[in-house]
Amino acid sequence: MSFSIQQYPFDSILESTIIENHRDFLNWPLVYFLEENKSKEAYVGETTDVLNRLKSHSKTEKKQKLTTVNLILSDKFNKSATLDVESNLIRYISADGIYSLQNGNLGISNHQFYQQKEVYWEQFKDIWTELRSLGIARHSLDYIDNSDLFKYSPYKSLSKEQIAGLKMILQCLLDDNAKVSLIEGGAGTGKSILAIFLFKLLKTDLNDFNYSDFDEEDEELFHILQNVKAKYGDLNMALVIPMASFRKTISNVFKNIKGLSHKMVIGPSEITKQKYDLLIVDEGHRLRRRVNLGSYFGTFDKNSELLGLDKMTTSELDWIQLQSDKSIIFYDQFQSIKPSDVTPESFYALKHLPGTRNEKLITQFRVKGGNQYVKLVHQLFDKAELVDQDRQNLGLYDLKLFDDLNEMVEQIYLKEKQKGLSRMVAGFAWEWISKNDRSKFDIVIDSTALQWNSTVTDWVNSPNAINEVGCIHTTQGYDLNYTGVIIGPDLDYDFETNQLVVHKEHYKDKNGKNSISNPEDLLDYVINIYKTILLRGIEGTYIYVCSPNLRKYFAQVVPAFKNSEDDVKTYTIVDMPNEFTVPYYDLEIAAGQFSDLQSVEEVKYIELKNITGHVEYFVCRVVGESMNKVIPNRSLCLFKKYLGGTRNGLITLVEGNDVFDSETGANYTIKEYSSKKVTDEEGWRHEEITLKPLSIQPFEPIVLRDEETMNFRVIGVFLRVI
């Protein structure tokens, strides 16, 4: 669908300019983007009456600060199209990081679309590309999709049950007899999204809402919000998140949203400093009681004393109620993972107190396998015996069971290259010996050696996360695209009794087991851990099970990973080329001559019948251990000839003209490529290229600067091991 973006000053002569240049669009659906370049504030809207809408904006104090209007025009636009473009622009502009939006958002966009939404999405991708060329947008849509600011943005469309929960919460604020709202929901049901959305909603000026587009449901919700604002004014409120890692992530999100501050996101200890009108608690199941607290015992006791509570019987759940006039608590009893967590019995008692309102979230929003996948996960752990009939239709959700851990690691690396946000996660069944000595490995299974996370704060987004293994404490609350889950020897299956079994000696979280005498209690915690990490992956979940019996049990319903499923696994080496062949160069034979593919005389050919465009590819045998996390020694690998374009983050085959040596002494190497501009002490800018090994062994990266960056070239981009 064709479109144009026209930019004008947002001033007194704008009306005449629009009439002169865009007479056909005066009463036609369009989208507009108001901006102020210095303050980086903006507003996104859509309308069928552009002159009156912009006149209205020019009379409001906030909009008067905006200096430029961008009109997105198309003679093919209809109301559905502009509503969709507006909604996507708000979501992606807010997460792109350049502009702070003045938009208010009620989260209701149940529009009936004239065409399939896929049509509008293709159109929006083109509009976004144009906005990037104008400097209005910075990042690609794929990049933003993986960002925390997008995943946890308050500019969301809410489901019907989320809207029902939102109305219930607002009604609770108006009810003088209601003190607590309990919102119960499993992993992936949107608890964090609703908590953040609610917080932003209560902090938004009523004048920032676009009343002209309200339908009856919008008006009902807005009327309730008006009453809340009239009753409380500007609420003294905070978002409480018990887990430090996830708290840091959401704090960074708040820092980038207009009207919010990172100081509004706090831990349970901070609520003792003052009283609040309202406390919103996310991941409430991780609030603590006085059991197995380790170094936190002293702080817990001090806070209990400050609040006048008995340290032996109180919990952080009690602190929340004492320090707030109203509290809204999101929780999931099946994500309680250690004895220090507030017990389900405490939530049950609170749930049935007079003045407590209750709501449930059921629909699965995270994993693309939907509620069927969630049901399967619960069946795996809750049923005594599984049969083939339990296998659910998971659609395109990528669920696989691996017999070889190294294969699963390789697949997660590939998914990281393709999708991003793909991580290895394991149960707490290995000691953290690499914490103080990064030369050591924590998880060693057959020939695969891995290390636990090197940081506990926001590990998922840390630079080295793809090379490490996270645990429940560094992933709970996060969304991933792909999760590679290692189920350790702490969990097993007994086919005689048809029961899951926990091995306490293999469960290494001391604070998670020291006070537990009943094996059934420990089993419940371990099961909750694995359920939680198995529900992190949006696109897919890969599973490796250490215990043979448990692997056999899982194999009843979880599809096995098979090498034959890959696109290019079947190949034949031939001496003469044909329409199905790509050239095959053996690096050990080619040595230094490999810098010119066409001059290598000893070329063989490999038939690959499951690809097209054979002239674009070649195959090499890669030797050495510097890339063994992705490419095992002596693997045949498929490459695409490099013809230019982006290469950061890609595994590339490069020729170096004496700037480095490979492990075989030849003048080439295969590494992960990245480049950046660096400033020296004198202020000069230089290009710096890093060629990073991906190995379980301690290989140093190759760093090229100045003239060295001119003396090499990229030959090909690694696609896969064949």
Side-chain angles (χ1 to χ4, degrees):
M1 185 181 292
S2 60
F3 67 92
S4 66
I5 301 178
Q6 304 296 327
Q7 193 173 77
Y8 302 105
F10 186 45
D11 56 21
S12 57
I13 64 170
L14 177 61
E15 180 177 348
S16 59
T17 302
I18 293 177
I19 292 174
E20 180 181 350
N21 296 329
H22 306 296
R23 186 175 300 276
D24 292 342
F25 292 94
L26 298 183
N27 295 292
W28 190 263
L30 59 78
V31 180
Y32 59 92
F33 179 77
L34 291 165
E35 60 172 309
E36 204 290 304
N37 197 45
K38 290 183 179 179
S39 67
K40 296 299 181 185
E41 289 192 27
Y43 181 87
V44 177
E46 68 83 35
T47 183
T48 55
D49 187 354
V50 61
L51 292 182
N52 281 331
R53 178 63 59 83
L54 294 179
K55 278 182 186 178
S56 175
H57 287 326
S58 67
K59 296 175 183 178
T60 64
E61 184 178 350
K62 286 188 177 181
K63 303 296 186 300
Q64 287 171 356
K65 298 176 183 177
L66 306 177
T67 58
T68 304
V69 61
N70 299 270
L71 302 179
I72 304 175
L73 311 165
S74 174
D75 58 3
K76 305 297 184 183
F77 271 166
N78 52 52
K79 187 68 171 179
S80 292
T82 54
L83 285 170
D84 194 67
V85 171
E86 177 198 38
S87 174
N88 280 322
L89 265 186
I90 290 171
R91 294 193 304 138
Y92 281 95
I93 288 287
S94 67
D96 187 43
I98 294 182
Y99 290 95
S100 294
L101 289 182
Q102 294 183 359
N103 291 71
N105 179 30
L106 285 178
I108 302 174
S109 58
N110 299 320
H111 307 300
Q112 297 299 314
F113 289 105
Y114 177 71
Q115 301 184 66
Q116 292 292 322
K117 289 202 71 174
E118 290 77 8
V119 175
Y120 301 132
W121 176 245
E122 290 303 314
Q123 176 192 53
F124 179 74
K125 289 195 293 186
D126 293 337
I127 291 172
W128 188 259
T129 299
E130 180 69 13
L131 291 174
R132 292 180 75 187
S133 72
L134 294 172
I136 292 173
R138 176 189 300 155
H139 297 106
S140 69
L141 296 176
D142 287 341
Y143 177 92
I144 295 173
D145 282 339
N146 283 336
S147 70
D148 288 327
L149 193 53
F150 183 76
K151 291 179 183 297
Y152 303 107
S153 168
Y155 294 102
K156 294 283 187 182
S157 300
L158 300 183
S159 70
K160 288 184 178 180
E161 67 182 45
Q162 286 175 319
I163 293 169
L166 186 63
K167 289 179 180 177
M168 184 274 291
I169 292 167
L170 294 176
Q171 293 287 7
C172 176
L173 293 175
L174 294 172
D175 185 352
D176 292 333
N177 296 317
K179 183 172 174 60
V180 179
S181 293
L182 277 181
I183 316 295
E184 187 176 2
T189 53
K191 297 186 300 299
S192 296
I193 292 297
L194 186 52
I196 294 167
F197 183 95
L198 172 66
F199 202 102
K200 177 68 168 71
L201 184 68
L202 292 171
K203 284 294 182 182
T204 299
D205 191 311
L206 292 176
N207 292 320
D208 289 340
F209 291 97
N210 189 0
Y211 315 108
S212 60
D213 288 335
F214 281 2
D215 58 21
E216 289 184 9
E217 194 166 23
D218 293 320
E219 290 175 355
E220 179 187 355
L221 182 58
F222 186 72
H223 179 68
I224 300 171
L225 180 62
Q226 281 181 310
N227 291 335
V228 171
K229 292 276 191 179
K231 181 173 182 177
Y232 291 99
D234 186 17
L235 282 161
N236 176 27
M237 56 191 288
L239 177 62
V240 182
I241 300 179
M243 304 101 71
S245 179
F246 192 48
R247 184 164 65 245
K248 176 67 173 177
T249 297
I250 301 305
S251 177
N252 287 334
V253 171
F254 269 44
K255 185 168 58 178
N256 289 284
I257 297 173
K258 184 174 177 59
L260 303 184
S261 164
H262 67 96
K263 296 179 181 179
M264 296 174 176
V265 185
I266 64 175
S269 284
E270 295 175 79
I271 66 174
T272 61
K273 298 176 182 178
Q274 60 171 297
K275 292 261 190 178
Y276 292 87
D277 297 325
L278 174 64
L279 286 174
I280 301 176
V281 184
D282 191 22
E283 304 286 337
H285 41 269
R286 296 308 315 278
L287 293 169
R288 289 165 290 190
R289 59 190 181 120
R290 198 183 188 278
V291 178
N292 290 14
L293 293 177
S295 60
Y296 185 60
F297 267 118
T299 302
F300 185 92
D301 291 349
K302 181 180 178 181
N303 287 336
S304 299
E305 183 180 340
L306 282 172
L307 296 175
L309 299 170
D310 181 357
K311 66 182 182 182
M312 302 305 295
T313 59
T314 192
S315 71
E316 291 174 344
L317 183 60
D318 299 319
W319 303 358
I320 297 290
Q321 297 171 74
L322 185 64
Q323 290 297 94
S324 61
D325 292 334
K326 304 271 188 179
S327 60
I328 300 159
I329 303 169
F330 295 84
Y331 80 107
D332 175 15
Q333 64 173 336
F334 297 111
Q335 291 192 61
S336 175
I337 60 166
K338 57 198 309 184
S340 58
D341 294 340
V342 173
T343 64
E345 290 77 16
S346 295
F347 280 104
Y348 181 84
L350 179 59
K351 185 176 181 178
H352 291 87
L353 281 178
T356 299
R357 289 174 174 252
N358 300 281
E359 193 71 30
K360 272 198 170 185
L361 302 175
I362 299 172
T363 304
Q364 176 59 225
F365 292 103
R366 177 184 293 132
V367 299
K368 290 187 176 179
N371 288 347
Q372 291 289 74
Y373 174 66
V374 176
K375 180 180 178 182
L376 178 61
V377 169
H378 283 290
Q379 284 179 326
L380 278 167
F381 293 98
D382 296 342
K383 292 187 68 175
E385 188 174 4
L386 288 174
V387 293
D388 286 340
Q389 283 80 354
D390 289 324
R391 191 187 297 267
Q392 303 293 330
N393 178 16
L394 304 181
L396 297 177
Y397 193 69
D398 191 0
L399 176 66
K400 294 290 187 294
L401 181 66
F402 285 73
D403 287 330
D404 185 324
L405 177 58
N406 193 57
E407 279 191 323
M408 187 169 84
V409 173
E410 289 177 12
Q411 289 299 311
I412 290 297
Y413 266 97
L414 290 175
K415 294 304 179 185
E416 171 69 8
K417 298 302 177 188
Q418 296 167 359
K419 300 280 188 178
L421 273 182
S422 299
R423 301 287 182 264
M424 295 291 300
V425 185
F428 214 148
W430 293 270
E431 298 283 0
W432 192 8
I433 60 176
S434 67
K435 181 178 183 179
N436 300 314
D437 185 351
R438 294 302 290 176
S439 69
K440 295 182 178 179
F441 295 95
D442 307 294
I443 302 172
V444 180
I445 299 172
D446 297 328
S447 62
T448 305
L450 303 167
Q451 291 180 318
W452 281 121
N453 45 276
S454 57
T455 179
V456 296
T457 303
D458 199 22
W459 169 77
V460 163
N461 297 304
S462 63
N464 202 43
I466 184 58
N467 301 314
E468 300 169 347
V469 181
C471 66
I472 182 65
H473 304 304
T474 53
T475 55
Q476 192 168 21
Y478 285 89
D479 291 348
L480 299 171
N481 285 328
Y482 272 82
T483 313
V485 177
I486 305 173
I487 299 180
D490 52 338
L491 193 64
D492 206 342
Y493 190 79
D494 187 336
F495 279 100
E496 291 186 5
T497 62
N498 291 324
Q499 296 290 329
L500 290 166
V501 179
V502 66
H503 297 299
K504 188 174 183 178
E505 70 276 13
H506 290 304
Y507 182 59
K508 302 301 182 181
D509 187 349
K510 294 178 182 178
N511 288 331
K513 68 178 181 180
N514 282 351
S515 64
I516 298 176
S517 57
N518 184 354
E520 291 299 315
D521 292 338
L522 180 60
L523 178 62
D524 286 343
Y525 285 122
V526 171
I527 284 175
N528 282 354
I529 288 171
Y530 285 118
K531 281 183 179 178
T532 301
I533 60 179
L534 283 166
L535 293 172
R536 299 296 101 197
I538 298 170
E539 304 277 350
T541 301
Y542 294 159
I543 305 171
Y544 176 83
V545 182
C546 290
S547 304
N549 277 355
L550 186 62
R551 191 184 311 159
K552 181 179 177 182
Y553 169 73
F554 269 53
Q556 296 179 73
V557 292
V558 180
F561 171 78
K562 297 178 181 178
N563 288 338
S564 60
E565 292 179 357
D566 291 350
D567 288 340
V568 285
K569 286 295 181 182
T570 302
Y571 61 87
T572 303
I573 298 177
V574 297
D575 292 327
M576 298 297 293
N578 61 52
E579 62 179 316
F580 299 113
T581 59
V582 300
Y584 159 43
Y585 308 94
D586 191 316
L587 289 191
E588 291 181 295
I589 297 172
Q593 300 174 28
F594 194 76
S595 60
D596 185 354
L597 294 180
Q598 302 304 320
S599 69
V600 177
E601 296 180 0
E602 297 184 52
V603 179
K604 295 184 179 180
Y605 299 90
I606 287 184
E607 286 188 346
L608 298 174
K609 295 187 177 180
N610 293 326
I611 65 170
T612 58
H614 289 72
V615 295
E616 300 176 5
Y617 302 94
F618 62 91
V619 172
C620 295
R621 184 180 301 281
V622 177
V623 298
E625 300 291 344
S626 65
M627 295 294 291
N628 61 19
K629 281 189 174 180
V630 181
I631 307 173
N633 188 15
R634 301 194 59 75
S635 294
L636 285 178
C637 298
L638 181 66
F639 291 83
K640 190 168 187 177
K641 294 176 183 177
Y642 179 72
L643 300 176
T646 183
R647 44 195 179 180
N648 271 355
L650 298 177
I651 296 175
T652 57
L653 172 61
V654 300
E655 178 261 328
N657 282 351
D658 299 321
V659 296
F660 51 78
D661 293 325
S662 77
E663 296 149 18
T664 62
N667 207 22
Y668 56 82
T669 192
I670 295 170
K671 298 288 186 293
E672 183 182 79
Y673 180 102
S674 66
S675 67
K676 63 181 179 180
K677 296 291 185 180
V678 296
T679 304
D680 63 21
E681 295 179 354
E682 297 179 356
W684 292 97
R685 299 277 285 172
H686 302 265
E687 183 179 18
E688 180 178 283
I689 293 173
T690 301
L691 302 173
K692 179 183 176 183
L694 301 175
S695 176
I696 63 174
Q697 299 171 12
F699 286 90
E700 291 295 322
I702 298 168
V703 180
L704 307 178
R705 298 184 181 92
D706 300 324
E707 291 83 3
E708 292 176 331
T709 65
M710 305 298 293
N711 294 328
F712 88 107
R713 67 187 177 107
V714 176
I715 297 171
V717 176
F718 168 78
L719 295 180
R720 69 200 78 182
V721 172
I722 66 171

